[in-house]
Amino acid sequence: MSATILPQAGYHLASAGANKATYTYTDPLSEVPTLSGVDVSADGSTPIIDMEALLGPHRSEIIKQIGLACEKNGFFAVKNHGIPEMKINNMLGTAREFFHLPDEERLKFRSTDPNSVIRLVTGFQDKTRNIFVSRQSLKFHTHPVEEYKSLWPSNPPSFRENVGEYCASVREVEVAILEAISESLGLERDYIDKILKGHYVSINYYPACQESELDVTYGVRTHTDPTIITILMQDDVPGLQVINDGKWINVNPLPNAVVVHVGDILQALSNYRYKSLLHQAIVNCEKERVSIASYCYPSDDAMIGPAKKLVDKDHPAIYKDFTYREFHESMWRVKCSTAKRLDLFKALAD
Ligand SMILES: O=C(O)CCC(=O)C(=O)O
Ligand SMILES: [Fe+2]
C-alpha cells in the first residue's frame, strides 16, 4: 500500500481504501498534479473579511484587505455575509438528505455530458493510478433560480425551496464581493458585474471512507476552478486544503463563514495579478462531509482577457482577449484540471 497518511488525527490527504460506491464515471483528466508529497501546515491561517464592514464607512480599507488576500493567498473567508443561518442549515440538511436517497433516485440525474444543465457525478476509480476519488456531486445551474428550479430534484421535497433560497442569498454575497474585487483592481465597481452571467452550484458529498484494496482515496484531487470566483460553504467537517506559498494548508470551517476562491477567469481578467487557487479536498474516515460550491461565471460572449486598465508597458498583457465560450470549449478539449488551461490564451510565447 502506498497510502500517504498525514499526521492529523482522523483526516487523511489520501487514505488507504475507498467507499464502496459504484464506479460509474471515467475520469476525463489526463493532467492531474501530484502534490501529495507537499507538507501540510495544520494551522494555516485564513484571511478573514468582514462583509458588514465592507458596506460601512471603512469600505476602502476592507477593499484593500480583499485585494491583498486575492493577490497573496488566492482565497479568503467572509464573515457577516448576511446569509441567514437557517438558510445555510436548510441547504446543508437538504444536501445530506439528497445523498442519503437510494441510488436509483439519485442516479436519475447522472450524465457524462458536461453541458447538461443538471448532472450527478459519482465517485470513480482512476485505474491507471489505482486511486479512488470519493466525491459525489450534484451540479446544476441556479441563476436565475425561477428559470432552472423545475429541473432540480423534487426529492427530498424540500430541495427546490431550500436550494432556491440559499442560492438567492449567495447571489447577493457574490455581487458584493465581485464589486469589491473590481475596485481592488482599480476597475469600475461594476466591471465584473457587467460580464457576469451565471451561477452554477455543486453540492459535494464525501462519504466517510472505508477500507478497500485501492491504494489511496481522495475527496477531490488538486484543481483550480474555471470560474471568476467560487463561494464555498462547508459543513463542520474539515476537508478543504489549499496551496499557499508552495505548501498545503488546511482551511478548516469557521462557523457561519464562507470561503471565496480566486478562479481561472479572474486570473486572466486581472492580468495574472490574482492567481487561481490550487485546492483539493481530503477524506474523513469517521464522518461524511458536505460542501456547497457556488461557481460564478461570465456570459458566453464576455471578453475575459486582461482588463485594459491593467495593461501598460510595465505590465504587458499576459493573455490575449478571448471569450468565455472559447475558454469553456477548450477546457474540455485540453483535459487539464488547473489554470494551465489558460496557457492556450497566452499573449506571448514562452
Ligand atoms: O469540498 C471542498 O472543500 C472543495 C470542493 C471544490 O473544490 C469544488 O467543488 O470545486
Ligand atoms: Fe474547486
Side-chain angles (χ1 to χ4, degrees), residues 169-188:
S169 292
V170 170
R171 186 71 176 180
E172 287 173 27
V173 178
E174 184 177 291
V175 169
I177 298 290
L178 288 174
E179 285 179 350
I181 288 178
S182 290
E183 285 184 65
S184 75
L185 288 165
L187 303 171
E188 300 78 47

Side-chain angles (χ1 to χ4, degrees), residues 135 202 204 206 223 225 232 240 279 281 289 291 293 295:
R135 175 173 73 163
S202 179
N204 302 312
Y206 305 91
H223 67 284
D225 292 341
L232 188 80
L240 175 64
H279 59 285
R289 172 170 180 262
S291 74
Y295 302 125

Side-chain angles (χ1 to χ4, degrees), residues 70 74 171 174 177-178 181-182 185 191-198 225-231 260-270 274-277 294-299 302 304 324 327:
C70 287
R171 186 71 176 180
E174 184 177 291
I177 298 290
L178 288 174
I181 288 178
S182 290
L185 288 165
Y191 185 93
I192 299 177
D193 203 29
K194 274 200 215 137
I195 61 162
L196 193 59
K197 180 182 180 221
D225 292 341
T227 57
I228 307 176
I229 54 169
T230 302
I231 300 186
V260 175
H261 297 177
V262 171
D264 298 352
I265 306 301
L266 185 52
Q267 173 169 318
L269 195 145
S270 68
Y274 298 167
K275 317 281 186 312
S276 195
L277 180 73
S294 300
Y295 302 125
C296 143
Y297 62 92
S299 55
I304 52 176
Y324 181 64
F327 172 75

Side-chain angles (χ1 to χ4, degrees), residues 12-308:
H12 304 163
L13 162 65
S15 80
N19 188 272
K20 59 182 172 358
T22 42
Y23 312 139
T24 55
Y25 181 68
T26 310
D27 186 6
L29 301 175
S30 56
E31 203 186 313
V32 182
T34 47
L35 297 166
S36 52
V38 183
D39 279 355
V40 171
S41 131
D43 58 352
S45 52
T46 299
I48 300 177
I49 301 298
D50 182 348
M51 201 165 120
E52 223 162 58
L54 184 65
L55 308 174
H58 302 296
R59 180 175 177 82
S60 57
E61 176 50 31
I62 306 297
I63 285 175
K64 268 193 212 135
Q65 289 176 15
I66 290 179
L68 203 65
C70 287
E71 200 163 340
K72 301 268 173 273
N73 307 83
F75 78 103
F76 52 89
V78 177
K79 64 174 187 180
N80 295 326
H81 44 63
I83 310 171
E85 204 176 332
M86 194 183 71
K87 290 192 186 175
I88 295 172
N89 291 337
N90 287 348
M91 174 78 217
L92 292 170
T94 295
R96 271 184 218 106
E97 269 187 74
F98 176 80
F99 281 100
H100 291 166
L101 290 172
D103 278 0
E104 64 273 16
E105 191 60 31
R106 282 176 294 119
L107 293 177
K108 282 181 194 164
F109 296 96
R110 192 172 71 196
S111 166
T112 48
D113 174 6
N115 293 315
S116 165
V117 283
I118 181 160
R119 66 189 178 108
L120 180 88
V121 179
T122 57
F124 62 91
Q125 184 177 1
D126 178 338
K127 292 205 174 89
T128 53
R129 300 178 183 85
N130 201 31
I131 66 171
F132 186 69
V133 178
S134 74
R135 175 173 73 163
Q136 302 171 27
S137 55
L138 185 69
K139 299 172 185 297
F140 50 100
H141 288 270
T142 61
H143 186 78
V145 165
E146 291 313 320
E147 192 174 310
Y148 291 108
K149 210 173 182 171
S150 62
L151 302 171
W152 302 347
S154 54
N155 190 8
S158 62
F159 192 100
R160 291 180 184 173
E161 187 180 341
N162 289 344
V163 174
E165 290 200 346
Y166 175 80
C167 291
S169 292
V170 170
R171 186 71 176 180
E172 287 173 27
V173 178
E174 184 177 291
V175 169
I177 298 290
L178 288 174
E179 285 179 350
I181 288 178
S182 290
E183 285 184 65
S184 75
L185 288 165
L187 303 171
E188 300 78 47
R189 188 165 171 162
D190 62 352
Y191 185 93
I192 299 177
D193 203 29
K194 274 200 215 137
I195 61 162
L196 193 59
K197 180 182 180 221
H199 185 135
Y200 189 81
V201 160
S202 179
I203 299 183
N204 302 312
Y205 177 74
Y206 305 91
C209 62
Q210 296 174 2
E211 286 292 309
S212 90
E213 290 311 305
L214 292 167
D215 288 346
V216 285
T217 299
Y218 287 84
V220 172
R221 286 187 288 183
T222 309
H223 67 284
T224 62
D225 292 341
T227 57
I228 307 176
I229 54 169
T230 302
I231 300 186
L232 188 80
M233 168 68 66
Q234 315 184 60
D235 68 7
D236 56 358
V237 181
L240 175 64
Q241 296 188 324
V242 307
I243 282 278
N244 233 219
D245 279 339
K247 221 170 135 94
W248 282 114
I249 60 168
N250 296 310
V251 183
N252 291 339
L254 294 168
N256 288 321
V258 292
V259 178
V260 175
H261 297 177
V262 171
D264 298 352
I265 306 301
L266 185 52
Q267 173 169 318
L269 195 145
S270 68
N271 202 21
Y272 203 57
R273 190 156 131 198
Y274 298 167
K275 317 281 186 312
S276 195
L277 180 73
L278 266 179
H279 59 285
Q280 63 183 15
I282 57 174
V283 286
N284 184 299
C285 289
E286 279 107 49
K287 286 185 183 165
E288 64 183 7
R289 172 170 180 262
V290 169
S291 74
I292 316 292
S294 300
Y295 302 125
C296 143
Y297 62 92
S299 55
D300 281 351
D301 295 327
M303 275 297 172
I304 52 176
K308 296 288 167 280

